[in-house]
Amino acid sequence: MMKKRIAVIPGDGIGKEVADEGIKVMKKAAQLDGGIEFEFTSFPWGCEYYLEHGRMMDEDGIEQLKTFDAIYLGAVGYPGVPDHISLWDLLLKIRQEFNQYVNLRPIKLLDGVSCPLKNDKKENIDMLIIRENTEGEYAGAGDWLYKGKQEEVVLQTGVFSRKGTERIIRYAFEVAKRENKSLTSISKANALNYSMVFWDEVFEEISKEYPDVETYSYLVDAAAMHMIMDPARFEIVVTSNLFGDILTDLGAALAGGMGLAAGANINPERTFPSMFEPVHGSAPDIAGKGIANPLAAIWSVSQMLDFFGYEHIEKKILGTIEHLLKEGKFLTPDLGGNASTSEMGDRFIELYENM
Ligand SMILES: NC(=O)c1ccc[n+]([C@@H]2O[C@H](COP(=O)([O-])OP(=O)(O)OC[C@H]3O[C@@H](n4cnc5c(N)ncnc54)[C@H](O)[C@@H]3O)[C@@H](O)[C@H]2O)c1
């Protein structure tokens, strides 16, 4: 029996609502599938905590989290707390401090989900976007000079280290090689004449170590077009922090919306805990109504189990999600139904029990 200690940060808005459903699934998987046991510790951090304490997490929050096997996050963000504070003082801090330099975002059209593309088929939308997660455009480097004065100047510097760029590209090549799939690099070397020329050079260099992996390279603007016109050309994709952030929302729209987009923030060396979360935010427009789609949060649980080495449970969770979508009876309003978050979660558990 392997015991895993999970730090749960439900966060704000619908983050709390969907995290509850994800925890239900972890408990059920432990009960039914054996071999694994979870111990949960919940942290009240997020924007409400900020409004009360003036900080998003405890001062020694990173130290506290270090001892866990994984972090399970709902979402953060709340009207009244600037988004750059909620993002930088919790989410990005955890990703950077724990060297979670790989962000895995699967984009997979499941049976039962309608795709906004005319005539598109399930097998055409099945890609894994591997996004650099600790530096690049989100390194937080820059300055704000002469603030409020006429001469005001802001600088936001992209940071692309050789170590950081090589390790994410090499990680992506390893996945492509293991899964016998093509690898596409997305950059923007025509306009970003330092960072992206460098990115392309590193991609080219590392590709020589993997002669069997078929590679493609696109500018980000062309890639956005191809994702709509011909999504089947993408299998494994590697890209920078900002481009990955934007393209995965586009990908989410192709595969059923934000309620179905899951993400894993991985520290491949396992020196620090990795973090699993739905890609969506706290959705203040629907928070408190009990209608948030919990499937992205549940899908991220499957990523966690895969990371722990329980591939059969990952597959079972994904299979259950697809079954529930195909059945079409317990869907939240974003998917055209009228079920509540917990009704959808409960139906998931019933179907999972019979998988
Ligand atoms: N990982 C995170 O914690 C994270 C990610 C993105 C945004 N945010 C924060 O969340 C707040 C809201 O941001 P936003 O509105 O740009 O993005 P959002 O993802 O919260 O919402 C975008 C739209 O998608 C819908 N939506 C999102 N998740 C859904 C779900 N599970 N079920 C049904 N509908 C869903 C929302 O109702 C909304 O209309 C902001 O404060 C932002 O900073 C946090």
Side-chain angles (χ1 to χ4, degrees):
M1 179 70 71
M2 208 197 295
K3 185 165 178 178
K4 295 290 182 192
R5 296 180 61 243
I6 311 296
V8 181
I9 309 175
D12 306 302
I14 67 164
K16 296 181 194 169
E17 301 166 34
V18 297
D20 280 351
E21 303 307 313
I23 291 170
K24 264 195 219 168
V25 173
M26 283 187 246
K27 286 182 177 163
K28 186 52 73 177
Q31 182 199 332
L32 291 186
D33 296 304
I36 190 160
E37 197 185 316
F38 293 106
E39 184 187 294
F40 300 102
T41 306
S42 190
F43 293 88
W45 301 333
C47 291
E48 273 177 52
Y49 188 88
Y50 176 87
L51 291 172
E52 206 177 313
H53 299 91
R55 48 187 325 120
M56 288 292 291
M57 66 197 305
D58 286 344
E59 204 163 353
D60 66 345
I62 291 294
E63 281 307 309
Q64 291 185 47
L65 291 175
K66 243 180 208 163
T67 60
F68 287 86
D69 294 302
I71 302 163
Y72 185 55
L73 181 98
V76 289
Y78 199 69
V81 178
D83 283 344
H84 66 274
I85 291 190
S86 55
L87 197 65
W88 272 102
D89 292 2
L90 192 128
L91 200 58
L92 296 190
K93 191 169 174 179
I94 294 173
R95 287 177 182 167
Q96 291 184 348
E97 292 280 341
F98 290 155
N99 232 343
Q100 294 167 350
Y101 61 87
V102 177
N103 188 202
L104 297 178
R105 295 189 169 186
I107 292 167
K108 198 175 165 67
L109 182 64
L110 300 180
D111 271 340
V113 176
S114 68
C115 171
L117 301 184
K118 199 167 61 173
N119 303 329
D120 227 313
K121 291 196 283 291
K122 173 181 173 174
E123 51 282 12
N124 288 347
I125 300 177
D126 185 1
M127 59 187 102
L128 176 67
I129 300 202
I130 300 178
R131 165 191 175 201
E132 201 293 318
N133 211 29
T134 47
E135 51 173 50
E137 308 87 344
Y138 293 3
D143 212 337
W144 197 316
L145 304 170
Y146 313 112
K147 202 169 185 175
K149 304 218 171 78
Q150 243 184 354
E151 310 85 321
E152 196 162 20
V153 176
V154 295
L155 304 168
Q156 187 85 48
T157 308
V159 175
F160 291 79
S161 66
R162 176 159 281 278
K163 180 179 171 189
T165 308
E166 278 187 3
R167 69 185 177 182
I168 191 68
I169 291 176
R170 191 167 274 115
Y171 184 95
F173 267 105
E174 285 294 328
V175 175
K177 183 176 158 189
R178 193 171 63 236
E179 298 192 5
N180 196 20
K181 289 186 171 164
S182 67
L183 176 63
T184 299
S185 163
I186 296 178
S187 63
K188 183 68 184 167
N190 55 350
L192 299 172
N193 53 338
Y194 298 107
S195 59
M196 289 293 150
V197 172
F198 173 70
W199 175 283
D200 283 357
E201 273 185 25
V202 174
F203 186 74
E204 188 64 33
E205 271 169 40
I206 295 180
S207 71
K208 297 200 172 78
E209 297 170 26
Y210 298 87
D212 296 337
V213 176
E214 194 182 340
T215 60
Y216 300 92
S217 206
Y218 298 126
L219 298 174
V220 65
D221 37 353
M225 179 200 56
H226 290 316
M227 275 181 75
I228 300 290
M229 304 298 282
D230 182 19
R233 70 170 72 199
F234 298 99
E235 292 185 333
I236 310 295
V237 175
V238 64
T239 190
S240 70
N241 214 331
L242 170 68
F243 296 163
D245 198 6
I246 297 170
L247 290 174
T248 49
D249 267 31
L250 192 159
L254 293 181
M258 295 311 289
L260 281 166
N265 305 276
I266 303 290
N267 170 243
E269 292 75 24
R270 298 176 192 244
T271 318
F272 301 109
S274 292
M275 176 164 67
F276 301 84
E277 52 165 342
V279 168
H280 63 72
S282 57
D285 54 338
I286 56 165
K289 296 184 179 162
I291 55 166
N293 181 346
L295 294 182
I298 293 174
W299 194 323
S300 65
V301 167
S302 80
Q303 291 184 297
M304 184 195 291
L305 282 151
D306 185 40
F307 182 71
F308 286 151
Y310 295 84
E311 209 187 321
H312 62 294
I313 306 183
E314 179 225 15
K315 291 206 160 37
K316 188 169 164 184
I317 293 176
L318 268 189
T320 308
I321 291 178
E322 194 155 31
H323 189 161
L324 188 147
L325 291 165
K326 244 160 83 176
E327 178 191 60
K329 289 188 190 148
F330 291 84
L331 303 180
T332 42
D334 59 305
L335 295 174
N338 54 17
S340 68
T341 307
S342 62
E343 282 167 349
M344 200 176 189
D346 290 345
R347 183 61 184 157
F348 177 94
I349 297 289
E350 279 169 20
L351 294 174
Y352 187 88
E353 280 170 340
N354 295 307
M355 279 294 277

